PDB file of all heavy atoms in Angstrom:
ATOM      1  N   PHE A   2      89.050 125.984 100.059  1.00 98.00           N
ATOM      2  CA  PHE A   2      90.037 125.543  99.081  1.00 98.00           C
ATOM      3  C   PHE A   2      89.923 126.384  97.804  1.00 98.00           C
ATOM      4  O   PHE A   2      88.830 126.809  97.428  1.00 98.00           O
ATOM      5  CB  PHE A   2      89.826 124.075  98.707  1.00 98.00           C
ATOM      6  CG  PHE A   2      90.146 123.082  99.790  1.00 98.00           C
ATOM      7  CD1 PHE A   2      90.371 123.466 101.106  1.00 98.00           C
ATOM      8  CD2 PHE A   2      90.209 121.726  99.487  1.00 98.00           C
ATOM      9  CE1 PHE A   2      90.660 122.544 102.101  1.00 98.00           C
ATOM     10  CE2 PHE A   2      90.495 120.788 100.459  1.00 98.00           C
ATOM     11  CZ  PHE A   2      90.713 121.191 101.766  1.00 98.00           C
ATOM     12  N   ILE A   3      91.058 126.567  97.149  1.00 98.00           N
ATOM     13  CA  ILE A   3      91.084 127.275  95.866  1.00 98.00           C
ATOM     14  C   ILE A   3      91.947 126.506  94.888  1.00 98.00           C
ATOM     15  O   ILE A   3      93.120 126.226  95.166  1.00 98.00           O
ATOM     16  CB  ILE A   3      91.650 128.703  96.014  1.00 98.00           C
ATOM     17  CG1 ILE A   3      90.802 129.517  96.996  1.00 98.00           C
ATOM     18  CG2 ILE A   3      91.690 129.404  94.658  1.00 98.00           C
ATOM     19  CD1 ILE A   3      91.409 130.865  97.341  1.00 98.00           C
ATOM     20  N   ILE A   4      91.355 126.176  93.739  1.00 98.00           N
ATOM     21  CA  ILE A   4      92.113 125.520  92.678  1.00 98.00           C
ATOM     22  C   ILE A   4      92.524 126.576  91.661  1.00 98.00           C
ATOM     23  O   ILE A   4      91.756 127.490  91.347  1.00 98.00           O
ATOM     24  CB  ILE A   4      91.296 124.395  92.010  1.00 98.00           C
ATOM     25  CG1 ILE A   4      92.157 123.618  91.017  1.00 98.00           C
ATOM     26  CG2 ILE A   4      90.022 124.933  91.353  1.00 98.00           C
ATOM     27  CD1 ILE A   4      91.460 122.351  90.471  1.00 98.00           C
ATOM     28  N   SER A   5      93.748 126.462  91.167  1.00 98.00           N
ATOM     29  CA  SER A   5      94.232 127.400  90.162  1.00 98.00           C
ATOM     30  C   SER A   5      95.233 126.670  89.267  1.00 98.00           C
ATOM     31  O   SER A   5      95.663 125.567  89.587  1.00 98.00           O
ATOM     32  CB  SER A   5      94.886 128.623  90.816  1.00 98.00           C
ATOM     33  OG  SER A   5      96.011 128.246  91.588  1.00 98.00           O
ATOM     34  N   ARG A   6      95.580 127.300  88.161  1.00 97.00           N
ATOM     35  CA  ARG A   6      96.549 126.683  87.251  1.00 97.00           C
ATOM     36  C   ARG A   6      97.403 127.756  86.611  1.00 97.00           C
ATOM     37  O   ARG A   6      96.968 128.897  86.431  1.00 97.00           O
ATOM     38  CB  ARG A   6      95.843 125.842  86.197  1.00 97.00           C
ATOM     39  CG  ARG A   6      95.015 126.616  85.193  1.00 97.00           C
ATOM     40  CD  ARG A   6      94.159 125.673  84.336  1.00 97.00           C
ATOM     41  NE  ARG A   6      94.987 124.776  83.535  1.00 97.00           N
ATOM     42  CZ  ARG A   6      94.513 123.659  82.970  1.00 97.00           C
ATOM     43  NH1 ARG A   6      93.244 123.301  83.153  1.00 97.00           N
ATOM     44  NH2 ARG A   6      95.317 122.908  82.233  1.00 97.00           N
ATOM     45  N   ASP A   7      98.610 127.360  86.264  1.00 96.00           N
ATOM     46  CA  ASP A   7      99.531 128.211  85.519  1.00 96.00           C
ATOM     47  C   ASP A   7      99.954 127.417  84.297  1.00 96.00           C
ATOM     48  O   ASP A   7     100.824 126.537  84.388  1.00 96.00           O
ATOM     49  CB  ASP A   7     100.732 128.577  86.400  1.00 96.00           C
ATOM     50  CG  ASP A   7     101.667 129.576  85.732  1.00 96.00           C
ATOM     51  OD1 ASP A   7     101.656 129.657  84.493  1.00 96.00           O
ATOM     52  OD2 ASP A   7     102.410 130.248  86.456  1.00 96.00           O
ATOM     53  N   ASN A   8      99.329 127.695  83.180  1.00 93.00           N
ATOM     54  CA  ASN A   8      99.605 126.907  81.976  1.00 93.00           C
ATOM     55  C   ASN A   8     101.024 127.122  81.458  1.00 93.00           C
ATOM     56  O   ASN A   8     101.586 126.251  80.792  1.00 93.00           O
ATOM     57  CB  ASN A   8      98.582 127.228  80.899  1.00 93.00           C
ATOM     58  CG  ASN A   8      97.224 126.617  81.195  1.00 93.00           C
ATOM     59  OD1 ASN A   8      97.107 125.704  82.031  1.00 93.00           O
ATOM     60  ND2 ASN A   8      96.185 127.113  80.555  1.00 93.00           N
ATOM     61  N   ALA A   9     101.611 128.256  81.759  1.00 93.00           N
ATOM     62  CA  ALA A   9     102.995 128.498  81.341  1.00 93.00           C
ATOM     63  C   ALA A   9     103.964 127.601  82.104  1.00 93.00           C
ATOM     64  O   ALA A   9     105.047 127.288  81.608  1.00 93.00           O
ATOM     65  CB  ALA A   9     103.357 129.957  81.552  1.00 93.00           C
ATOM     66  N   LYS A  10     103.564 127.199  83.315  1.00 94.00           N
ATOM     67  CA  LYS A  10     104.417 126.340  84.136  1.00 94.00           C
ATOM     68  C   LYS A  10     103.923 124.896  84.156  1.00 94.00           C
ATOM     69  O   LYS A  10     104.472 124.060  84.888  1.00 94.00           O
ATOM     70  CB  LYS A  10     104.480 126.876  85.566  1.00 94.00           C
ATOM     71  CG  LYS A  10     105.153 128.236  85.692  1.00 94.00           C
ATOM     72  CD  LYS A  10     105.234 128.675  87.142  1.00 94.00           C
ATOM     73  CE  LYS A  10     105.960 130.019  87.259  1.00 94.00           C
ATOM     74  NZ  LYS A  10     106.038 130.478  88.684  1.00 94.00           N
ATOM     75  N   ASN A  11     102.876 124.596  83.401  1.00 95.00           N
ATOM     76  CA  ASN A  11     102.319 123.233  83.385  1.00 95.00           C
ATOM     77  C   ASN A  11     102.010 122.731  84.798  1.00 95.00           C
ATOM     78  O   ASN A  11     102.304 121.577  85.140  1.00 95.00           O
ATOM     79  CB  ASN A  11     103.274 122.262  82.692  1.00 95.00           C
ATOM     80  CG  ASN A  11     103.199 122.332  81.185  1.00 95.00           C
ATOM     81  OD1 ASN A  11     102.619 123.259  80.634  1.00 95.00           O
ATOM     82  ND2 ASN A  11     103.798 121.368  80.507  1.00 95.00           N
ATOM     83  N   THR A  12     101.412 123.591  85.595  1.00 97.00           N
ATOM     84  CA  THR A  12     101.183 123.250  86.997  1.00 97.00           C
ATOM     85  C   THR A  12      99.776 123.662  87.429  1.00 97.00           C
ATOM     86  O   THR A  12      99.283 124.726  87.043  1.00 97.00           O
ATOM     87  CB  THR A  12     102.223 123.945  87.903  1.00 97.00           C
ATOM     88  OG1 THR A  12     103.541 123.564  87.488  1.00 97.00           O
ATOM     89  CG2 THR A  12     102.030 123.534  89.359  1.00 97.00           C
ATOM     90  N   VAL A  13      99.164 122.807  88.216  1.00 98.00           N
ATOM     91  CA  VAL A  13      97.886 123.111  88.846  1.00 98.00           C
ATOM     92  C   VAL A  13      98.099 123.080  90.358  1.00 98.00           C
ATOM     93  O   VAL A  13      98.911 122.303  90.868  1.00 98.00           O
ATOM     94  CB  VAL A  13      96.778 122.134  88.402  1.00 98.00           C
ATOM     95  CG1 VAL A  13      97.100 120.709  88.807  1.00 98.00           C
ATOM     96  CG2 VAL A  13      95.423 122.553  88.940  1.00 98.00           C
ATOM     97  N   TYR A  14      97.392 123.952  91.045  1.00 98.00           N
ATOM     98  CA  TYR A  14      97.560 124.109  92.493  1.00 98.00           C
ATOM     99  C   TYR A  14      96.245 123.879  93.222  1.00 98.00           C
ATOM    100  O   TYR A  14      95.165 124.063  92.666  1.00 98.00           O
ATOM    101  CB  TYR A  14      98.059 125.525  92.813  1.00 98.00           C
ATOM    102  CG  TYR A  14      99.301 125.936  92.091  1.00 98.00           C
ATOM    103  CD1 TYR A  14      99.241 126.684  90.913  1.00 98.00           C
ATOM    104  CD2 TYR A  14     100.560 125.570  92.581  1.00 98.00           C
ATOM    105  CE1 TYR A  14     100.393 127.061  90.240  1.00 98.00           C
ATOM    106  CE2 TYR A  14     101.714 125.949  91.915  1.00 98.00           C
ATOM    107  CZ  TYR A  14     101.625 126.689  90.749  1.00 98.00           C
ATOM    108  OH  TYR A  14     102.770 127.061  90.084  1.00 98.00           O
ATOM    109  N   LEU A  15      96.369 123.510  94.486  1.00 98.00           N
ATOM    110  CA  LEU A  15      95.210 123.455  95.375  1.00 98.00           C
ATOM    111  C   LEU A  15      95.625 124.126  96.687  1.00 98.00           C
ATOM    112  O   LEU A  15      96.401 123.544  97.459  1.00 98.00           O
ATOM    113  CB  LEU A  15      94.743 122.029  95.622  1.00 98.00           C
ATOM    114  CG  LEU A  15      93.456 121.909  96.429  1.00 98.00           C
ATOM    115  CD1 LEU A  15      92.259 122.457  95.620  1.00 98.00           C
ATOM    116  CD2 LEU A  15      93.178 120.466  96.846  1.00 98.00           C
ATOM    117  N   GLN A  16      95.152 125.335  96.892  1.00 98.00           N
ATOM    118  CA  GLN A  16      95.393 126.043  98.138  1.00 98.00           C
ATOM    119  C   GLN A  16      94.332 125.618  99.139  1.00 98.00           C
ATOM    120  O   GLN A  16      93.136 125.787  98.884  1.00 98.00           O
ATOM    121  CB  GLN A  16      95.333 127.557  97.931  1.00 98.00           C
ATOM    122  CG  GLN A  16      95.503 128.374  99.190  1.00 98.00           C
ATOM    123  CD  GLN A  16      96.898 128.260  99.781  1.00 98.00           C
ATOM    124  OE1 GLN A  16      97.889 128.310  99.057  1.00 98.00           O
ATOM    125  NE2 GLN A  16      96.979 128.097 101.096  1.00 98.00           N
ATOM    126  N   MET A  17      94.760 125.061 100.254  1.00 98.00           N
ATOM    127  CA  MET A  17      93.834 124.529 101.247  1.00 98.00           C
ATOM    128  C   MET A  17      93.982 125.331 102.537  1.00 98.00           C
ATOM    129  O   MET A  17      95.057 125.321 103.147  1.00 98.00           O
ATOM    130  CB  MET A  17      94.120 123.049 101.499  1.00 98.00           C
ATOM    131  CG  MET A  17      94.089 122.200 100.231  1.00 98.00           C
ATOM    132  SD  MET A  17      94.246 120.435 100.561  1.00 98.00           S
ATOM    133  CE  MET A  17      95.880 120.376 101.240  1.00 98.00           C
ATOM    134  N   ASN A  18      92.933 126.010 102.920  1.00 98.00           N
ATOM    135  CA  ASN A  18      92.922 126.835 104.125  1.00 98.00           C
ATOM    136  C   ASN A  18      91.909 126.283 105.131  1.00 98.00           C
ATOM    137  O   ASN A  18      91.032 125.498 104.772  1.00 98.00           O
ATOM    138  CB  ASN A  18      92.566 128.278 103.766  1.00 98.00           C
ATOM    139  CG  ASN A  18      93.515 128.892 102.764  1.00 98.00           C
ATOM    140  OD1 ASN A  18      94.732 128.706 102.850  1.00 98.00           O
ATOM    141  ND2 ASN A  18      92.975 129.626 101.809  1.00 98.00           N
ATOM    142  N   SER A  19      92.042 126.724 106.366  1.00 98.00           N
ATOM    143  CA  SER A  19      91.116 126.303 107.428  1.00 98.00           C
ATOM    144  C   SER A  19      90.925 124.795 107.424  1.00 98.00           C
ATOM    145  O   SER A  19      89.802 124.285 107.465  1.00 98.00           O
ATOM    146  CB  SER A  19      89.767 127.006 107.265  1.00 98.00           C
ATOM    147  OG  SER A  19      89.916 128.411 107.289  1.00 98.00           O
ATOM    148  N   LEU A  20      92.019 124.087 107.372  1.00 98.00           N
ATOM    149  CA  LEU A  20      91.964 122.629 107.261  1.00 98.00           C
ATOM    150  C   LEU A  20      91.331 121.992 108.488  1.00 98.00           C
ATOM    151  O   LEU A  20      91.491 122.475 109.620  1.00 98.00           O
ATOM    152  CB  LEU A  20      93.365 122.073 107.025  1.00 98.00           C
ATOM    153  CG  LEU A  20      93.863 122.230 105.579  1.00 98.00           C
ATOM    154  CD1 LEU A  20      95.372 122.087 105.504  1.00 98.00           C
ATOM    155  CD2 LEU A  20      93.181 121.213 104.682  1.00 98.00           C
ATOM    156  N   LYS A  21      90.620 120.898 108.240  1.00 98.00           N
ATOM    157  CA  LYS A  21      89.925 120.155 109.286  1.00 98.00           C
ATOM    158  C   LYS A  21      90.444 118.718 109.310  1.00 98.00           C
ATOM    159  O   LYS A  21      90.924 118.217 108.278  1.00 98.00           O
ATOM    160  CB  LYS A  21      88.429 120.145 109.003  1.00 98.00           C
ATOM    161  CG  LYS A  21      87.801 121.519 108.849  1.00 98.00           C
ATOM    162  CD  LYS A  21      86.338 121.401 108.461  1.00 98.00           C
ATOM    163  CE  LYS A  21      85.691 122.773 108.286  1.00 98.00           C
ATOM    164  NZ  LYS A  21      84.260 122.674 107.897  1.00 98.00           N
ATOM    165  N   PRO A  22      90.317 118.034 110.439  1.00 97.00           N
ATOM    166  CA  PRO A  22      90.758 116.633 110.479  1.00 97.00           C
ATOM    167  C   PRO A  22      90.102 115.775 109.401  1.00 97.00           C
ATOM    168  O   PRO A  22      90.743 114.849 108.881  1.00 97.00           O
ATOM    169  CB  PRO A  22      90.344 116.196 111.890  1.00 97.00           C
ATOM    170  CG  PRO A  22      90.411 117.445 112.692  1.00 97.00           C
ATOM    171  CD  PRO A  22      89.939 118.525 111.772  1.00 97.00           C
ATOM    172  N   GLU A  23      88.866 116.082 109.040  1.00 97.00           N
ATOM    173  CA  GLU A  23      88.184 115.293 108.009  1.00 97.00           C
ATOM    174  C   GLU A  23      88.738 115.532 106.610  1.00 97.00           C
ATOM    175  O   GLU A  23      88.339 114.854 105.652  1.00 97.00           O
ATOM    176  CB  GLU A  23      86.673 115.558 108.030  1.00 97.00           C
ATOM    177  CG  GLU A  23      86.293 117.016 107.997  1.00 97.00           C
ATOM    178  CD  GLU A  23      86.008 117.582 109.378  1.00 97.00           C
ATOM    179  OE1 GLU A  23      86.784 117.283 110.337  1.00 97.00           O
ATOM    180  OE2 GLU A  23      85.017 118.338 109.516  1.00 97.00           O
ATOM    181  N   ASP A  24      89.647 116.473 106.447  1.00 98.00           N
ATOM    182  CA  ASP A  24      90.330 116.669 105.168  1.00 98.00           C
ATOM    183  C   ASP A  24      91.505 115.701 105.001  1.00 98.00           C
ATOM    184  O   ASP A  24      92.118 115.659 103.928  1.00 98.00           O
ATOM    185  CB  ASP A  24      90.860 118.100 105.052  1.00 98.00           C
ATOM    186  CG  ASP A  24      89.756 119.137 104.985  1.00 98.00           C
ATOM    187  OD1 ASP A  24      88.748 118.894 104.296  1.00 98.00           O
ATOM    188  OD2 ASP A  24      89.895 120.185 105.641  1.00 98.00           O
ATOM    189  N   THR A  25      91.820 114.946 106.041  1.00 98.00           N
ATOM    190  CA  THR A  25      92.920 113.994 105.974  1.00 98.00           C
ATOM    191  C   THR A  25      92.652 112.940 104.912  1.00 98.00           C
ATOM    192  O   THR A  25      91.608 112.289 104.908  1.00 98.00           O
ATOM    193  CB  THR A  25      93.126 113.323 107.340  1.00 98.00           C
ATOM    194  OG1 THR A  25      93.542 114.313 108.290  1.00 98.00           O
ATOM    195  CG2 THR A  25      94.171 112.221 107.259  1.00 98.00           C
ATOM    196  N   ALA A  26      93.603 112.795 103.984  1.00 98.00           N
ATOM    197  CA  ALA A  26      93.446 111.853 102.872  1.00 98.00           C
ATOM    198  C   ALA A  26      94.707 111.904 102.014  1.00 98.00           C
ATOM    199  O   ALA A  26      95.558 112.780 102.190  1.00 98.00           O
ATOM    200  CB  ALA A  26      92.239 112.204 102.021  1.00 98.00           C
ATOM    201  N   VAL A  27      94.775 110.982 101.078  1.00 98.00           N
ATOM    202  CA  VAL A  27      95.743 111.093  99.986  1.00 98.00           C
ATOM    203  C   VAL A  27      95.072 111.911  98.886  1.00 98.00           C
ATOM    204  O   VAL A  27      93.956 111.590  98.467  1.00 98.00           O
ATOM    205  CB  VAL A  27      96.171 109.717  99.454  1.00 98.00           C
ATOM    206  CG1 VAL A  27      97.128 109.884  98.274  1.00 98.00           C
ATOM    207  CG2 VAL A  27      96.822 108.897 100.561  1.00 98.00           C
ATOM    208  N   TYR A  28      95.764 112.944  98.445  1.00 98.00           N
ATOM    209  CA  TYR A  28      95.233 113.837  97.420  1.00 98.00           C
ATOM    210  C   TYR A  28      95.887 113.531  96.079  1.00 98.00           C
ATOM    211  O   TYR A  28      97.119 113.421  95.981  1.00 98.00           O
ATOM    212  CB  TYR A  28      95.477 115.292  97.807  1.00 98.00           C
ATOM    213  CG  TYR A  28      94.512 115.782  98.847  1.00 98.00           C
ATOM    214  CD1 TYR A  28      94.598 115.329 100.169  1.00 98.00           C
ATOM    215  CD2 TYR A  28      93.494 116.677  98.538  1.00 98.00           C
ATOM    216  CE1 TYR A  28      93.696 115.753 101.139  1.00 98.00           C
ATOM    217  CE2 TYR A  28      92.588 117.114  99.497  1.00 98.00           C
ATOM    218  CZ  TYR A  28      92.694 116.651 100.792  1.00 98.00           C
ATOM    219  OH  TYR A  28      91.803 117.067 101.749  1.00 98.00           O
ATOM    220  N   TYR A  29      95.043 113.401  95.061  1.00 98.00           N
ATOM    221  CA  TYR A  29      95.490 113.069  93.714  1.00 98.00           C
ATOM    222  C   TYR A  29      95.097 114.173  92.744  1.00 98.00           C
ATOM    223  O   TYR A  29      93.983 114.702  92.833  1.00 98.00           O
ATOM    224  CB  TYR A  29      94.845 111.777  93.226  1.00 98.00           C
ATOM    225  CG  TYR A  29      95.149 110.558  94.046  1.00 98.00           C
ATOM    226  CD1 TYR A  29      94.350 110.203  95.126  1.00 98.00           C
ATOM    227  CD2 TYR A  29      96.228 109.732  93.726  1.00 98.00           C
ATOM    228  CE1 TYR A  29      94.617 109.075  95.885  1.00 98.00           C
ATOM    229  CE2 TYR A  29      96.504 108.600  94.472  1.00 98.00           C
ATOM    230  CZ  TYR A  29      95.700 108.276  95.550  1.00 98.00           C
ATOM    231  OH  TYR A  29      95.978 107.160  96.287  1.00 98.00           O
ATOM    232  N   CYS A  30      95.978 114.492  91.815  1.00 98.00           N
ATOM    233  CA  CYS A  30      95.554 115.338  90.712  1.00 98.00           C
ATOM    234  C   CYS A  30      95.318 114.454  89.500  1.00 98.00           C
ATOM    235  O   CYS A  30      95.880 113.359  89.386  1.00 98.00           O
ATOM    236  CB  CYS A  30      96.551 116.454  90.412  1.00 98.00           C
ATOM    237  SG  CYS A  30      98.078 115.956  89.629  1.00 98.00           S
ATOM    238  N   ALA A  31      94.478 114.936  88.611  1.00 98.00           N
ATOM    239  CA  ALA A  31      94.079 114.167  87.449  1.00 98.00           C
ATOM    240  C   ALA A  31      93.852 115.094  86.269  1.00 98.00           C
ATOM    241  O   ALA A  31      93.495 116.263  86.437  1.00 98.00           O
ATOM    242  CB  ALA A  31      92.802 113.383  87.751  1.00 98.00           C
ATOM    243  N   ALA A  32      94.047 114.548  85.071  1.00 96.00           N
ATOM    244  CA  ALA A  32      93.862 115.309  83.839  1.00 96.00           C
ATOM    245  C   ALA A  32      92.840 114.613  82.957  1.00 96.00           C
ATOM    246  O   ALA A  32      92.904 113.390  82.772  1.00 96.00           O
ATOM    247  CB  ALA A  32      95.187 115.453  83.098  1.00 96.00           C
ATOM    248  N   GLY A  33      91.928 115.404  82.424  1.00 94.00           N
ATOM    249  CA  GLY A  33      90.926 114.888  81.502  1.00 94.00           C
ATOM    250  C   GLY A  33      90.799 115.827  80.316  1.00 94.00           C
ATOM    251  O   GLY A  33      91.368 116.909  80.310  1.00 94.00           O
TER     252      GLY A  33
END
């Protein structure tokens, strides 16, 4: 997985590769 952000677009990304069945879940983003 790779997390990245584009502050000009107010967006954060999570690139998920080589996914496995155990990655199954609801994914949430959060700000602190």
